[in-house]
Each structure stands twice: as C-alpha cells, then as structure tokens.
Amino acid sequence: MPREGKEVGVTVAKAQGGDAAEPMVRVEKVSKRFDSVLAVAEVDFTLEKGAFLTILGPSGCGKTTLLRMIAGFIEPTAGEIWIHGRPVGDLPPYRRSIGMVFQKLALFPHMTAAQNIAYPLRMRGFPRDEIGERVARYLRLVRLEGLGERRIHELSGGQQQRVAIARALVFEPDLLLLDEPLAALDRKLRQEMQLEFRRIQRELGVTTINVTHDQREALVMSDRIMVMDAGRVQQMAVPETLYHRPENRFVAGFLGLTNFLPGVVAEVGAGRARIRIGERLVEGRMADPGIAAGTAVEAAVRAERLRIFDEEPGAGWETLEAEILEVVFEGERLVYSARAETFGDVVLRFVDADPLRHRTHRPGERVRLGWRSSDLMIFRADPDTTRTAGQPEREDNEP
Amino acid sequence: MKSCRADIGTGGRSDRSFGLRLLDLAESVRAGLFPARFSVWTPYLYLLPATLITGILAIGLAEMAETSLHVLNRATFRPDPAYTLANYAAVLSKPVYLRIMLKTGFAALLVTGFTLLLAFPYAYFLVRTPHARLRRFLLVALFLPFLLGQVIRAYGWLIVLGKQGLLNAALAAIGLGPVSLIYTYGGVVLGLVQYMLPFAVLLLAPALTAIPHEVELASHGLGATPWRTFRHIVLPLARPGLVAAGVVVFTLTVTDFAMPEIMGGGANDFIANAIYDAFFQLSDAGMGAALGIVLTLFASLIVALAFLLVGVATLGHGAQQDAGAGR
Amino acid sequence: MRRTAPYLRLPRRRFLSGAAAVVAAPYVLRLPRATAQEKPAEIIVRAWGGVWEEALKTGVSDPFTEMTGIPVRHDLTEDNEIRPKIWAAVDQGRVPPIHVNWDTTTNATKSALRGVTEDLGDLPNLEGLLPLAKPAGLEGWPLVNVYSYAYVLAYSEKAFPEGAPESWNAMLDPAFRKRVAMYDDGIGLFAPAQVAGGGRFEDIPDNMEPCWEFFRKLKANEPLLGEDPDFTNWFQNDEIDLACTIISNAREAKQNGIAVSWTVPKEGATLDTDALWIPKGLPENELYWAKQYVNFALSAEAQQAWCNALGLPPVRPGLEPPADLVGDIAYPASEADLDRFLRIPTPVLVEHESSWFERVNEIMQG
C-alpha cells in the first residue's frame, strides 16, 4: 500500500508487506534511444520482492542505462516501469523509494559517515530521534560502529563502500540499485564486499538490482542473472541455469571459458544433432531450438568439460587427439591450449583442476581429449562472432 | 702485438677514464648546484620568482608608506621633509574619505553578491550541459566581452544605457522612460557586475567540475529535491570556488578605477579615484600614498576576514574532495 | 581638471575653418645665426584631445613641421599625469618625456614653483604680447600664457527657448535635475558660484561660504561631473541641458550641429589662461628647437590660426576674431570687455585651488 511520505509534498510509494502477487519491479517493453543509438531495446522483466537480480553484460550493453531508467535519472523513450505495483514514469528520482549505490559511490565529501547515512532521512523529514537511532543501527549493520564521525576521506575503500550501502538502505527503500559499486576495488576486497553486500541484502530482504560486467560477481551474489548485450536481454535465469544451459552463443561465450567450434549440422534429432567439425562428425545438444540440417553452427564446449584421457573412455564420451601448444600455471589449476588437427586445426583450451593428477603435459606432447556429447552445445552461428570462432572467449572479463 | 694491444688497452682505459672524469665533473657541478642534502629545499626554489615579484611589490609598498608620511609644501610643490601623520589624520578626519570608503566597500559587497548570484548558474550550466555546442557558445559569450577590456565595455554601457541609448529607445517605443542608469551608483555597480562575471565564472567552473555529477544524482535518489540538493550538496561543495571568486571579485571591485570613472559621472568615485585625484589633480603624493595604504589595509583586512570566516583550508579542499570521490 | 584621458577622446573631426588659409601664409622664423643647432628627430608636445589637439595641429604643429622639417608628435597624456612624470624626471636628472607642455596656467605655475621649467625670456616673440601673457607672481618667464578663455554657462537651446539663462542659479533649478554638468573638480565655477551664492568676489579666498553653499545646492540637483570632451559628448547625446565649461567645448558641439549656445550670466564668468612651458633637462639642441616651437606658437600667424580654431582670444593683440564669435559675449575683444569676467589671480589659485578641489570633491561625493 502506498503511504504518504513524511516530508510535505513528497509522496513515496513504500513497501509495507505489499501484495504478494505483485512483483516489486515490473519493466515492460522499455527502450531508450540516444540520438541514433538504441541503448536499451524493449526490455521486459519482473522481479519479485526480496530477490537479488544482477544485470550482466559488457560495457555499452545498456545495463547502466536500464538501471538509471529504473532509478528515474533517465526517462525511457518507450515502455513503462512499475515499482511496487505503481507506474513510476511521472515520478522524479527523489519521489521514488529507491536506494542506489553508485560506481564511484558518490558519497558527500563534506559530511561525516554518519551525516551521509542520515542524509536521506533528513531529506525525508524523519524526526531527529529516529534519525539518530537508525543511523546507529545501520552503522552497526555495515560494521562501522565507532566510525560514524569520520570524514569520508578518512575511511578506507571498503569502509566507504559500507557507508554507501548504509546510506542507500537506511530509509528502507522498496528497491536497492547497485551500479557496479565494486568495480574499482581490488580483487580481494571485491570478493569480500560481494559476500558482505549479499549478507546485508539477505538480512534486510531488500529487493536488489545489481549491474556489473563481472561474471564472477554475478554468479556469487545473485538469485537471478539477466545477461544483456547490445541493449537486448539475452537470457534471464538463475545462475546455475545460465551457466550450464546458456540459450545463445553470446551467453555461452560471456560466462566461463568456452571453446567455440565452427561446424555444419549434418543430422537433427530430438533436442540433439550431429554436426560436422573439420573431418569429424560429433553429437551435441541443441541449445538454440529449430536448427535445420545444413545450417552453419558453432559448437561450444566449456574448458572445464574437456579432459585428458590416458585410455579410451566409455560410452557417452567423444575423444580426439590434440597437440599441446601451451601450458599456463594458475595456481589451483593448469590451463592448456592444444591444436586438434581433426577439428580443422582448431585450438582448444581446457583446464586441469585435479590436484591429484600431478602430471603436467609439455608443449609438443600429444594427448587424447574427451568430452561428454551432452556437454557440446550447438548454437546458431552468430554472424558477428564467427570471425573469431574457434578462439575461446576470455573467461575473466574484468578490466 | 702485445704492446700494441696494451696501447690500445691503455688508450681505451684513458679514454674511458676521461669520459668518467667528465661525468664526475658534471656530477660534482650538479651536486654543487643542487646538493642532495638540500633537496628538500628544491621545491622552494620554484617559489623564488613569485617571491621576488612579491618582494619588489613590498619594496614599493614600503616606499609608498614613506611617501605617505610627508605633507605637500604648496610653496615649492615638494613634499615637506618632516615626518608626520597629518595625511592619515586628514584621511580619517575628512568625512569625504570615509564616505568614499564606505561607498566603495558597499559597492564591492553588492558587486560580489550579484556577480556570484549570476555567475553560479552560468558556471553550473556551462559545466553540466551535455551539449558541446551549447558549452562552446556559453564560453565564447563569456570570453568575448572579456577580451574587450573594461574601458570599451564601459563605453558599451554608455551606448546601451545612455539618454539616447538602446534601452531608452526601447522604453520610449513602449511609451516609458527615459531612465538614467549611467552616471549613477547603480550604473557603476551594474557595469562592474558585468565586468566581473567572466572572472567569477572562470573561478567557479573548476570548483563545480570537481563536484561529480553522480553526487548530485545520489542526492536526488536519496530523496532531495533539486533545490535541497543545491543547498545541501552543490553549494557546500562549491564553497572553495565561491570563496575564491568572491575574494577576487571583491578585491578587483574595491580597487577599481575605470568603471566609477566612466560610468559614475564623476560623483561616484571609489577609493582608487580619490587616490588618482590626490596624486594627479592635487599633486599631493603624500595624501595619495596615505589613501593607497589605507585601501591596501582595508582590502587585506576584508580578504583576511573572508578567509578567517570560511577557512583557508577551503582552497585546498578540492584535492581532498577528489581523493574522497575517487577513493 | 581638463582631464583628457586618451579613452575619453572624441572621434577626430576634421576641423573646417579658415585656419588652413593662414597656415599657408609665409612666415620667417627668426633664428639667431650663430647657433645652428642639430635638429631632433621630433618635438613632442603634450596636448589635450578633441578640438584642442586639432587646433594645435593645424594652427601650430603642422606649419612648424613645414618650416623646420621637424615632425611634431602630440602626447595626449593627461596634463595631471604628465606633471608628476616630468617632476620625477627632473628630480632624477633624466631627460623629460616631452619637449613642450601645453598646460593650464595654474598647473604650469606649480611646476614653475617647483623649479622644473626652463626660462623663456629670450624668445623674440614675447615682444608685443598682451600683459596677460606674462606669468603672475613668478620671476621672469618660466612659462608663457598663450590665450585666455572663459568658463561659460553653456545651454541647450531646446531647454531655453526664451533665450539664454540670466544667472548661474539656473543650474540649481530642479527642472534640470541630473541635466546639469560641471568639471569634476569644480574648476571655473568657484568665482561665479561665490557671486551667485550671494557672496563677494573680493572675499575669495578668505570667505567662500556662499560659494560652497552654491555647490551644495548644485549637488542636490545631481550634476554630472566630467572633463573637456565629456561636455561636448553630453550635449551631443542629449544627456545635459546646462554646463559650466570652456567655450571651446560648447562651440565644438555647436559646430557638430547641436543646438547649443552659451552665455556669460550677470554674475560674470571665470576667465583663465593656458600656458606653454618647457621642462628642464632637455639636451641643448632639443631645448633650442622646443623654444623655437613655443616662439612660433606666439607668432601672429600661429596665434591667429590656433586660437581661432579654439574660439579663444589670443595673447597677441590685433588679430581677427573668428567670424562666428565676433561680438560674442564670451569672447573679449578689448580690455573693456574683460570687466565682464572674474579673474582670480594665479598666485591665489596656486595656493588655494587644490583645497577648493578637495572641498568640491567632499560636497559632490557625499
């Protein structure tokens, strides 16, 4: 039920239990055009209360634009956004009940940590006592007890992150938006803060939309992930599904270290197909439905699904011979590159994360590689990406 | 063969050692010029030119102070050799000088206030507009009068605001007027505000640029209306720029000569005009110097007061801000 | 005080008068044979701008160049600003920045008192000048007065359809609020103000309260305060109806087609003089040619052209007045005519004028 905000003239649609049937966020056919560029194209999704959604995509995919449209900083060219069952198209940002954490945090440098956190409460006309009580509570929540009187520049990067999140949550908004706030942190602190954000989000049960180009962050933090590219939603699913059952070549390539093998469909079965790659005819799972025989496709297999076999494996496995080109030691695992002549000289990358094998293959060595045919995913060839087909996508697409 | 090689060897060595000696020499010269243990002083060397210039100014000021202690002998039109505070007594006792000082100070306050009021939105718009072409236009519009200089602009005002000027022609066309805006106190203030605007905008723009746009968005998102965002976020963060612009506009106004001279119609003199009159009209260098010293003290006092009030630290605050925002 | 900052100069107007014909008249410079001094590259004469410079150029400088081959440059630095420069140059033993200073007699006298002027007693053309030419209260000829001029009451004919105002008190009429003008230091108005304010001219400088009362009343009428070119400007731009100014400025506006006229009201008008002087410290040859310039300026031919262009009575008697000023009330043609005018003695001016300026300033900046 919407209730009147405490500040005169500012009406804030506020979550108070809410209608269980009504999702917290509904985005319907939302588009944004900047001059000739369609930044966001007919995006549709809903998000139930308490869920953590990550919008994942490369820079320029439209994810930040979409987030800012939800926040109210950018007006959609078309479409409608509902928050808590209410269309917000006419509401300026300061009348939407949304807490946002910005990429550069956007803390107020002329205020202390406590003053930063108190700011939204002051702007919303909370009584003084309640402001003090809440600020103390949220300082505790983000584990900054005793640091409230520090100036922003007197805090460490991680502490600043905590102030930013406390400030975004202290007024108990319907929705928390995270605009890549962790992107600038070093890896270790980032991983720590990912878990911290997740903990706070779970503790408060606040509906959250996070934007990132870091797939690991998306996988670690989210209930659901929406992958965007070129302004369009590529796939929206829970992390496991997204990783294991990508619906198109882009998603398959964006998450994980994936080998792409150009081929042509030879024979189509129920959800499966035989395709020709180089000299070989291999079987795989049809990830894109409705591919007919003779279609140019790309078969994808995750690097961690390729294994070295000393002997021929049993049924359900496909194998081929390959020559090791390069070995990269990454600590907990080895990453190999190998050339497969029978696959038309395609270079495959695969990982050996088995700590018990203790056998490193040298460049020049020939090995037998095998995979389950169910691990080979068949996608329609993307005209934009076939150029680089055969080259595995970067796994870690962080800066 | 052997000796030959030895020769070559010696030759090579002596060459090398000559080279090394040269390097040593260069090094010792360098070390003499910039001794390592003095290296903490090196940064201060860069202050030397500015210090020299300021030093020369100080000598001038001392000379002026000396001059101010002699009265004019009207039989010889030379300064009387005796030291006296009579000039200061005259400055402080004659109501005309007090009035001129008050008028100058009040005008400076008005000009500073109005200029900042006008410059702030201009600078803000200049910094925030996403349209490059509009920004260019705003910059050109700002700089064009800047390039013209004060005197020509004052004349522009005479043309626009004069009895037969554009304004009165326009007013006459709608059956109003004529109004006299030039040769008045208000006219001087108006002319000065226009003159100071580019200075203020140029000093404010960097301060506003240093405020990340995201900070304002954050404030909106946290529930602050645009006005409250301005009051609680933009204004406090722009303070270093406002102080700098305010101090510059105030001191430039309080020491201005041309605008009251041209736009004032003679009856709206500032202290600088009084100094001019003392030096040149009355040939009384002592009185002029005394007025100059008083003006210097007055302006310094105001600037010191401004810094005391808002803190000198505000000028260095921008750097902290950046560090804060960028972590 | 007759300030003419370069930026206040009027656009140069070609001066059209009979002066050009006089320039062409042959003139023989009487040069002592024995001294064949080397000619300097140029002679620099400080001058006022506007009609003043124009008159000097056509009346004196151009014919001088024609005769001697020495170019003359006019330095338009204000009289008040050049004075301290010359004083400083003489004090420090430097060559002064100009060769000849065209100055008000009062200011020239101050320089003479300070001892920075060359004596002009050996100039042949001093012969036959009116007594007015001789500096008052000074030994010898440290300067020479070159013409006299009246501070008239100039008025716009539109505002006085019935004819000229009779008294200086017209300036106090509230009908002309903000439409009256005077020199920014009050020069030229002290004597008329004293009389118009009910005082006696003879009481100057001892009791000038009537004079200050007049200025206080004038202040209430919000006058514009300016310098020479301002008055011409203001009349042309219809900013003022009445002004106490030198006749030349009003005449300039009139010659530009503005309906401006002038009068000497019943109280009288200040008559004053301008002077030429040469600063000390010039190299011998430059001093020689500077003296030749001053000497030439005092010749009948130069006086005729120069002073007619200015509309002012020269110090050389027997010359033709300009056609438009024949019989003009502000153009004294004889000794008898001088009675209409109020002439404060130069020594009094030198001693007291600065304090009068201060006094006016005090009243006007209130």
Side-chain angles (χ1 to χ4, degrees):
Chain A
M1 289 297 286
R3 74 166 170 133
E4 288 296 308
K6 285 175 187 161
E7 188 181 340
V8 181
V10 177
T11 310
V12 176
K14 190 75 186 71
Q16 287 223 325
D19 186 346
E22 179 62 48
M24 183 58 83
V25 181
R26 187 145 63 89
V27 171
E28 213 173 82
K29 294 229 174 325
V30 163
S31 299
K32 180 64 192 181
R33 184 176 283 283
F34 292 112
D35 297 327
S36 61
V37 181
L38 193 60
V40 173
E42 302 205 339
V43 168
D44 269 309
F45 73 89
T46 60
L47 191 62
E48 61 280 10
K49 184 172 176 339
F52 192 118
L53 169 72
T54 292
I55 306 175
L56 176 67
S59 31
C61 76
K63 57 188 190 297
T64 296
T65 305
L66 179 58
L67 195 76
R68 291 190 171 206
M69 285 193 284
I70 296 169
F73 299 135
I74 299 176
E75 207 175 317
T77 311
E80 184 66 86
I81 297 168
W82 279 265
I83 295 172
H84 213 257
R86 182 174 171 189
V88 294
D90 295 332
L91 293 182
Y94 50 90
R95 291 207 181 164
R96 299 183 186 192
S97 176
I98 293 177
M100 184 154 172
V101 182
F102 288 84
Q103 183 164 15
K104 287 179 179 162
L105 301 186
L107 294 172
F108 306 135
H110 59 303
M111 298 181 187
T112 63
Q115 284 169 340
N116 264 277
I117 298 170
Y119 187 79
L121 302 175
R122 271 169 63 212
M123 293 302 119
R124 286 176 157 76
F126 279 65
R128 190 172 289 269
D129 296 350
E130 194 178 346
I131 292 179
E133 184 271 314
R134 277 211 199 195
V135 169
R137 182 146 51 89
Y138 275 81
L139 277 169
R140 220 163 31 243
L141 176 77
V142 298
R143 298 175 179 165
L144 286 177
E145 297 102 321
L147 297 180
E149 295 316 306
R150 292 260 181 105
R151 293 243 160 203
I152 295 307
H153 64 260
E154 294 167 342
L155 296 173
S156 72
Q159 289 167 336
Q160 291 183 1
Q161 295 275 343
R162 290 163 193 270
V163 174
I165 187 129
R167 187 181 68 173
L169 290 172
V170 70
F171 58 104
E172 290 168 7
D174 284 345
L175 186 59
L176 174 65
L177 302 180
L178 307 174
D179 183 10
E180 302 204 51
L182 305 177
L185 299 184
D186 63 66
R187 194 189 186 99
K188 203 163 167 59
L189 184 56
R190 184 166 65 227
Q191 287 173 0
E192 183 190 319
M193 289 309 298
Q194 284 166 1
L195 297 175
E196 188 67 7
F197 271 42
R198 189 61 173 140
R199 171 186 73 79
I200 294 164
Q201 190 266 338
R202 289 228 169 99
E203 214 169 303
L204 299 174
V206 60
T207 315
T208 303
I209 301 177
N210 176 40
V211 150
T212 189
H213 61 261
D214 178 351
Q215 53 157 308
R216 184 183 298 274
E217 180 184 316
L219 294 171
V220 168
M221 295 174 80
S222 319
D223 296 321
R224 282 202 289 161
I225 297 172
M226 184 169 99
V227 177
M228 279 185 79
D229 184 46
R232 291 178 191 280
V233 176
Q234 300 296 323
Q235 187 174 356
M236 180 159 162
V238 299
E240 291 79 2
T241 307
L242 200 73
Y243 190 82
H244 294 303
R245 304 243 156 214
E247 282 175 4
N248 61 38
R249 192 211 172 278
F250 178 81
V251 178
F254 197 72
L255 276 90
L257 182 59
T258 309
N259 294 292
F260 286 98
L261 316 163
V264 177
V265 176
E267 195 184 316
V268 180
R272 305 180 74 77
R274 271 181 191 284
I275 59 170
R276 178 168 299 284
I277 304 170
E279 305 159 11
R280 292 282 300 269
L281 204 57
V282 292
E283 197 178 303
R285 171 165 58 83
M286 293 264 267
D288 274 346
I291 300 176
T295 313
V297 293
E298 283 188 81
V301 60
R302 300 278 192 209
E304 74 272 15
R305 297 283 169 160
L306 287 173
R307 280 176 61 184
I308 296 171
F309 286 95
D310 299 329
E311 293 165 15
E312 195 63 39
W317 289 87
E318 301 257 12
T319 58
L320 55 63
E321 293 248 317
E323 180 193 344
I324 302 287
L325 297 177
E326 192 184 27
V327 195
V328 178
F329 176 64
E330 288 190 356
E332 82 280 13
R333 65 178 193 178
L334 297 169
V335 179
Y336 288 99
S337 303
R339 188 192 298 119
E341 291 89 347
T342 53
F343 263 13
D345 274 350
V346 75
V347 174
L348 293 167
R349 286 219 280 173
F350 60 96
V351 297
D352 180 357
D354 183 352
L356 304 175
R357 267 180 73 92
H358 294 308
R359 163 127 166 71
T360 302
H361 298 274
R362 298 286 161 207
E365 250 183 83
R366 296 194 70 81
V367 292
R368 182 185 292 121
L369 284 176
W371 67 93
R372 280 201 187 84
S373 43
S374 57
D375 286 336
L376 193 77
M377 303 172 282
I378 300 169
F379 298 104
R380 214 179 291 273
D382 182 335
D384 286 343
T385 52
T386 39
R387 278 176 285 118
T388 53
Q391 291 301 313
E393 302 280 315
R394 266 180 57 78
E395 177 187 24
D396 205 348
N397 41 27
E398 58 187 321
Chain B
M1 189 68 185
K2 215 172 182 180
S3 66
C4 182
R5 273 175 64 176
D7 280 351
I8 292 169
T10 338
R13 205 161 40 242
S14 83
D15 273 350
R16 197 168 66 233
S17 67
F18 175 70
L20 285 178
R21 272 211 306 277
L22 210 66
L23 279 178
D24 283 348
L25 186 71
E27 174 61 26
S28 62
V29 167
R30 192 204 65 83
L33 283 175
F34 307 103
R37 67 197 169 90
F38 286 159
S39 63
V40 289
W41 296 106
T42 314
Y44 293 95
L45 279 178
Y46 295 102
L47 289 175
L48 205 62
T51 314
L52 271 177
I53 290 170
T54 314
I56 290 167
L57 272 177
I59 294 170
L61 205 62
E63 189 121 312
M64 208 162 94
E66 206 276 335
T67 308
S68 73
L69 297 174
H70 300 283
V71 291
L72 178 73
N73 179 339
R74 291 216 170 120
T76 60
F77 279 88
R78 286 175 186 277
D80 200 284
Y83 284 93
T84 166
L85 287 170
N87 286 322
Y88 289 98
V91 168
L92 297 178
S93 66
K94 288 193 180 171
V96 60
Y97 290 123
L98 188 67
R99 257 197 316 265
I100 288 177
M101 272 185 262
L102 284 178
K103 273 176 126 179
T104 309
F106 187 60
L109 283 180
L110 285 178
V111 169
T112 308
F114 283 127
T115 304
L116 292 184
L117 217 58
L118 292 175
F120 198 94
Y122 197 105
Y124 185 81
F125 206 60
L126 183 76
V127 165
R128 286 286 188 252
T129 179
H131 307 290
R133 207 173 299 165
L134 183 63
R135 191 186 346 266
R136 260 201 301 280
F137 171 79
L138 288 174
L139 270 174
V140 169
L142 189 71
F143 270 102
L144 219 55
F146 203 43
L147 295 173
L148 285 179
Q150 198 184 4
V151 169
I152 292 174
R153 274 197 270 172
Y155 265 87
W157 280 116
L158 294 188
I159 290 165
V160 173
L161 300 178
K163 284 272 155 49
Q164 297 188 318
L166 295 177
L167 178 73
N168 277 322
L171 283 176
I174 55 170
L176 292 173
V179 294
S180 46
L181 279 169
I182 48 171
Y183 310 134
T184 62
Y185 192 60
V188 177
V189 170
L190 178 71
L192 279 168
V193 167
Q194 197 250 5
Y195 175 62
M196 298 298 170
L197 200 61
F199 292 103
V201 170
L202 287 179
L203 284 163
L204 276 172
L208 290 175
T209 312
I211 304 174
H213 187 47
E214 278 196 347
V215 168
E216 284 173 62
L217 292 184
S219 171
H220 287 310
L222 293 169
T225 57
W227 163 245
R228 302 185 90 187
T229 297
F230 172 78
R231 199 163 70 85
H232 294 291
I233 305 300
V234 180
L235 208 55
L237 288 181
R239 204 168 70 163
L242 282 168
V243 171
V247 165
V248 166
V249 170
F250 187 91
T251 40
L252 282 180
T253 302
V254 99
T255 55
D256 197 64
F257 173 81
M259 203 57 79
E261 180 75 5
I262 301 170
M263 289 281 284
N268 295 290
D269 281 0
F270 280 11
I271 302 175
N273 306 80
I275 295 173
Y276 178 95
D277 285 350
F279 266 110
F280 297 112
Q281 215 172 60
L282 310 179
S283 301
D284 192 344
M287 176 60 94
L291 277 168
I293 295 282
V294 169
L295 171 60
T296 309
L297 287 177
F298 178 64
S300 309
L301 196 76
I302 295 286
V303 172
L305 219 66
F307 281 137
L308 210 68
L309 228 62
V310 295
V312 186
T314 44
L315 287 183
H317 190 62
Q320 290 175 351
Q321 232 169 274
D322 287 348
R327 274 157 296 140
Chain C
M1 181 188 300
R2 319 260 320 253
R3 269 192 216 156
T4 313
Y7 51 81
L8 292 170
R9 242 180 299 144
L10 290 171
R12 232 183 240 186
R13 201 181 59 80
R14 283 256 61 91
F15 190 71
L16 304 168
S17 81
V22 184
V23 168
Y27 176 82
V28 182
L29 190 62
R30 287 186 287 166
L31 297 179
R33 274 227 175 133
T35 51
Q37 291 283 356
E38 193 193 332
K39 288 180 181 177
E42 59 179 0
I43 289 283
I44 305 169
V45 182
R46 196 220 67 86
W48 289 288
V51 60
W52 301 85
E53 184 198 7
E54 207 60 53
L56 184 73
K57 180 172 151 56
T58 48
V60 186
S61 299
D62 282 355
F64 178 79
T65 302
E66 208 169 293
M67 272 182 314
T68 62
I70 302 172
V72 176
R73 181 149 65 86
H74 296 148
D75 182 336
L76 297 181
T77 306
E78 270 191 46
D79 51 354
N80 283 320
E81 287 175 12
I82 204 79
R83 186 172 62 244
K85 287 186 189 174
I86 296 171
W87 288 10
V90 174
D91 280 355
Q92 295 162 13
R94 286 186 282 115
V95 175
I98 57 167
H99 293 100
V100 177
N101 196 7
W102 183 14
D103 206 351
T104 63
T105 298
T106 308
N107 279 341
T109 305
K110 289 179 190 170
S111 291
L113 284 173
R114 194 172 161 114
V116 300
T117 68
E118 290 282 358
D119 189 85
L120 305 172
D122 57 351
L123 295 188
N125 279 342
L126 292 179
E127 233 180 270
L129 297 182
L130 293 174
L132 208 62
K134 176 90 173 68
L138 295 167
E139 290 285 308
W141 292 82
L143 55 97
V144 57
N145 294 324
V146 283
Y147 51 77
S148 60
Y149 53 90
Y151 288 91
V152 295
L153 180 60
Y155 59 95
S156 94
E157 289 168 7
K158 191 183 67 182
F160 292 90
E162 309 284 304
E166 284 181 6
S167 162
W168 288 95
N169 283 318
M171 290 182 85
L172 309 180
D173 186 343
F176 303 115
R177 198 175 139 266
K178 287 189 175 180
R179 295 191 63 82
V180 295
M182 56 181 258
Y183 285 97
D184 57 2
D185 48 16
I187 198 166
L189 196 50
F190 300 119
Q194 170 83 356
V195 180
R200 291 179 344 130
F201 176 68
E202 294 71 31
D203 286 347
I204 295 175
D206 299 328
N207 172 19
M208 291 180 68
E209 193 40 44
C211 170
W212 308 134
E213 189 50 35
F214 181 90
F215 276 108
R216 275 191 286 271
K217 285 181 186 157
L218 185 56
K219 165 68 182 171
N221 228 10
E222 298 180 50
L224 294 186
L225 311 182
E227 291 121 23
D228 277 326
D230 290 330
F231 298 100
T232 313
N233 240 344
W234 286 337
F235 275 120
Q236 288 182 1
N237 294 333
D238 191 27
E239 299 279 355
I240 54 170
D241 291 324
L242 271 175
C244 168
T245 185
I246 296 174
I247 183 173
S248 308
N249 301 316
R251 186 166 170 250
E252 167 84 350
K254 186 173 194 156
Q255 283 169 343
N256 286 351
I258 309 299
V260 173
S261 201
W262 54 85
T263 184
V264 175
K266 62 184 180 196
E267 295 90 350
T270 305
L271 193 75
D272 211 337
T273 51
D274 280 347
L276 293 179
W277 58 275
I278 297 171
K280 280 189 174 158
L282 289 173
E284 195 188 338
N285 67 320
E286 295 183 23
L287 171 63
Y288 173 83
W289 287 104
K291 280 186 169 180
Q292 292 309 321
Y293 182 91
V294 174
N295 190 52
F296 173 64
L298 296 170
S299 69
E301 289 77 359
Q303 282 265 296
Q304 175 83 64
W306 182 22
C307 298
N308 277 19
L310 289 171
L312 302 175
V315 287
R316 183 163 294 284
L319 300 177
E320 282 291 307
D324 62 323
L325 294 176
V326 175
D328 193 286
I329 188 166
Y331 190 92
S334 65
E335 289 287 324
D337 283 348
L338 291 178
D339 294 345
R340 273 201 300 277
F341 295 93
L342 305 166
R343 292 165 64 192
I344 304 173
T346 304
V348 174
L349 286 175
V350 168
E351 191 184 341
H352 297 283
E353 207 179 40
S354 324
S355 54
W356 299 347
F357 291 160
E358 276 185 276
R359 197 65 197 266
V360 167
N361 208 26
E362 218 163 288
I363 292 167
M364 289 302 162
Q365 299 299 332

